[in-house]
Amino acid sequence: MNKRSVRDLDLMNKRVLVRVDFNVPVKDGEVTDDTRIRRALPTIRHLLSEGARPVLVSHLGRPKGEPDQKYVMDPVAARLQELLGEPVEKLDAAVGPEVVEAIDDWDGRGVVLLENSRFYPGETSNDPGFADQLAALADLYVDDAFGAAHRAHATTVGVAERMPAAAGLLMEEEIDYLDKVLEDPERPFVAILGGAKVSDKLGVIESLLGTADSLLIGGAMGFTFFEALGYEIGDSLVEDDYLEEAKRLMEESGERLVLPVDVVVAEAMEEGAESETVASDGIPSGKMGLDIGPETVDLFEGHISGASTIFWNGPMGVFEIDDFAKGTEGVARAVAESEATSVVGGGDSVAAVNKLGLEGRMSHISTGGGASLEYVEGKELPGIAVLPEE
Ligand code: ADP
Ligand code: MG
């Protein structure tokens, strides 16, 4: 990473505003998946051990620019305090005189957590007045919210323009792993793409075809390629507007683009629906393809086991339903067993890996869904672009 890192800052007795990504699922006042909180701990611990006062800020959910009891940060504060083992002082506002006072009254232990930044309309509009108020709270700014880096908001871009800024340890890890995959992958480099739509992932396919030795395609997006090849696809999801693109991608990439050879089909996308496995070019009418079949899992495993670098985004089937989760599970296990540097990005793919308990077996799991895809597409993320170089 060529950005200034939190490790380069003189932190002793400094108030440090830290943008974290604590946008976690909350149910009945409890955090149901604390992955993102855990991933922010190294930066928070680093700051504390260097004598800094961390002032954490994040958005949570999609409140409409005003306070909304459903999205208060209290459940996050409770979970963070358990994980950190240090007091977390949660404030009921993100800016204002009480906030300034609470931060200045710090007794040398623990962290301050500001209220949800999206309770303020100035967050998403990157309002200069709101950014000024946030910047006035601290001496330094550290951005550890890779998952929010594709948004030019006050807590990502506005504050970074107003104070000495650096990347946090998680941000650094995300950038380093994704850069390694994109710029300097050890070969063979195998990319695996799945999920619902070709249209969502066109930029990602394009970018990966530029570097990958093979690109394995699963999920619903495969059917747009099959349709373009003239196969019968029954009632499978297809994007007719993308048939030409699909043809072009297949022509340009030749054998590097690997499509499923068999498909699990059923009449409906439902638990308990009667399913069968058929060849990719023979999906019966009235049926839809909902997962890759066992021969495809074997084929993909062959590529994966020989890889030195793996990037995976998008489930291979409707993994939310057990009957159609085997393809995703097979691929996840193959990636977990491989010795390769493995990077997994994308909200649903990461959820699938977590559900299988395989997260510890991957080299890097990106905390950014949309952000990691935009990064792989080669787009400049505003939250990263704004950080100064070393
Ligand atoms: P990610 O969040 O990892 O980037 P996507 O959001 O692109 O992944 O896609 C995930 C969704 O794709 C899941 O909800 C999954 O059920 C759906 N999906 C995968 N395969 C199929 C299929 N064959 N038919 C319908 N939906 C599918
Ligand atoms: Mg998704």
Side-chain angles (χ1 to χ4, degrees), residues 13-133:
N13 290 324
K14 297 280 176 24
R15 299 166 302 170
V16 184
L17 182 67
V18 190
R19 179 41 158 116
V20 284
D21 180 5
F22 285 171
N23 182 30
V24 292
V26 174
K27 205 173 167 218
D28 303 326
E30 300 255 356
V31 173
T32 54
D33 179 350
D34 60 13
T35 309
R36 287 178 162 171
I37 304 179
R38 289 177 189 273
R39 299 289 294 273
L41 295 175
T43 295
I44 299 172
R45 293 205 169 107
H46 176 77
L47 292 168
L48 287 171
S49 72
E50 296 288 310
R53 299 178 196 190
V55 177
L56 312 178
V57 64
S58 176
H59 77 284
L60 174 65
R62 294 179 178 265
K64 300 192 167 55
E66 58 184 33
D68 181 339
Q69 195 53 36
K70 217 175 127 195
Y71 297 113
V72 293
M73 298 298 285
D74 299 67
V76 174
R79 192 76 193 106
L80 175 62
Q81 182 159 300
E82 280 169 25
L83 292 169
L84 190 61
E86 297 277 347
V88 173
E89 187 182 356
K90 191 255 153 185
L91 307 182
D92 292 328
V95 292
E98 319 87 78
V99 176
V100 173
E101 206 172 306
I103 293 169
D104 290 342
D105 275 353
W106 194 64
D107 65 2
R109 286 198 61 214
V111 304
V112 169
L113 175 62
L114 304 180
E115 189 48 278
N116 193 338
S117 59
R118 287 204 193 162
F119 285 2
Y120 299 81
E123 165 68 329
T124 52
S125 65
N126 190 11
D127 174 66
F130 183 55
D132 281 341
Q133 281 185 292

Side-chain angles (χ1 to χ4, degrees), residues 195-196 201 219-220 223 237 269 289-290 313-315 317-318 320 346-349 373:
K201 308 269 168 91
F223 303 111
L237 281 185
M269 198 186 295
L290 296 169
N313 165 270
V318 182
E320 297 92 335
D348 292 292
S349 350
L373 291 182

Side-chain angles (χ1 to χ4, degrees), residues 70-390:
K70 217 175 127 195
Y71 297 113
V72 293
M73 298 298 285
D74 299 67
V76 174
R79 192 76 193 106
L80 175 62
Q81 182 159 300
E82 280 169 25
L83 292 169
L84 190 61
E86 297 277 347
V88 173
E89 187 182 356
K90 191 255 153 185
L91 307 182
D92 292 328
V95 292
E98 319 87 78
V99 176
V100 173
E101 206 172 306
I103 293 169
D104 290 342
D105 275 353
W106 194 64
D107 65 2
R109 286 198 61 214
V111 304
V112 169
L113 175 62
L114 304 180
E115 189 48 278
N116 193 338
S117 59
R118 287 204 193 162
F119 285 2
Y120 299 81
E123 165 68 329
T124 52
S125 65
N126 190 11
D127 174 66
F130 183 55
D132 281 341
Q133 281 185 292
L134 285 164
L137 300 176
D139 307 299
L140 303 168
Y141 171 71
V142 167
D143 189 355
D144 217 19
F146 178 75
H150 57 319
R151 312 257 185 246
H153 291 172
T155 57
T156 57
V157 169
V159 289
E161 290 169 340
R162 287 170 168 76
M163 33 199 323
L169 300 175
L170 174 59
M171 178 70 94
E172 195 176 347
E173 182 184 326
E174 295 269 13
I175 293 174
D176 283 345
Y177 269 104
L178 290 171
D179 281 352
K180 181 165 167 43
V181 167
L182 297 170
E183 288 165 15
D184 185 25
E186 234 180 276
R187 297 189 178 278
F189 170 29
V190 175
I192 313 159
L193 277 183
K197 294 182 178 167
V198 177
S199 53
D200 281 351
K201 308 269 168 91
L202 209 57
V204 177
I205 300 176
E206 200 92 51
S207 163
L208 290 172
L209 278 176
T211 49
D213 297 294
S214 44
L215 178 59
L216 317 179
I217 300 268
M221 71 162 84
F223 303 111
T224 299
F225 289 93
F226 290 156
E227 174 86 11
L229 287 168
Y231 293 2
E232 292 298 330
I233 60 161
D235 291 342
S236 308
L237 281 185
V238 63
E239 289 175 284
D240 287 318
D241 294 345
Y242 287 86
L243 296 176
E244 289 307 314
E245 285 288 356
K247 270 188 204 149
R248 182 179 62 79
L249 290 168
M250 287 188 284
E251 274 159 22
E252 282 175 14
S253 51
E255 289 186 355
R256 289 189 301 136
L257 197 129
V258 184
L259 292 168
V261 290
D262 59 348
V263 187
V264 177
V265 300
E267 262 168 37
M269 198 186 295
E270 282 169 12
E271 191 82 64
E274 203 179 306
S275 64
E276 59 175 319
T277 302
V278 299
S280 298
D281 57 0
I283 299 178
S285 66
K287 302 240 173 165
M288 57 176 91
L290 296 169
D291 195 9
I292 57 173
E295 273 185 49
T296 305
V297 173
D298 284 347
L299 173 71
F300 285 8
E301 267 172 6
H303 285 271
I304 292 167
S305 64
S308 292
T309 307
I310 299 167
F311 175 80
W312 177 22
N313 165 270
M316 298 289 102
V318 182
F319 75 100
E320 297 92 335
I321 300 176
D322 284 345
D323 295 334
F324 311 115
K326 291 188 190 74
T328 303
E329 178 172 350
V331 164
R333 293 203 185 282
V335 177
E337 273 158 30
S338 117
E339 303 276 304
T341 300
S342 51
V343 177
V344 185
D348 292 292
S349 350
V350 171
V353 169
N354 288 341
K355 195 171 154 188
L356 293 165
L358 295 174
E359 60 276 14
R361 309 279 300 275
M362 310 296 172
S363 311
H364 178 71
I365 300 229
S366 180
T367 52
S372 59
L373 291 182
E374 287 193 24
Y375 199 86
V376 172
E377 276 178 64
K379 287 192 186 152
E380 182 168 76
L381 309 189
I384 295 175
V386 72
L387 298 175
E389 309 215 326
E390 276 174 282

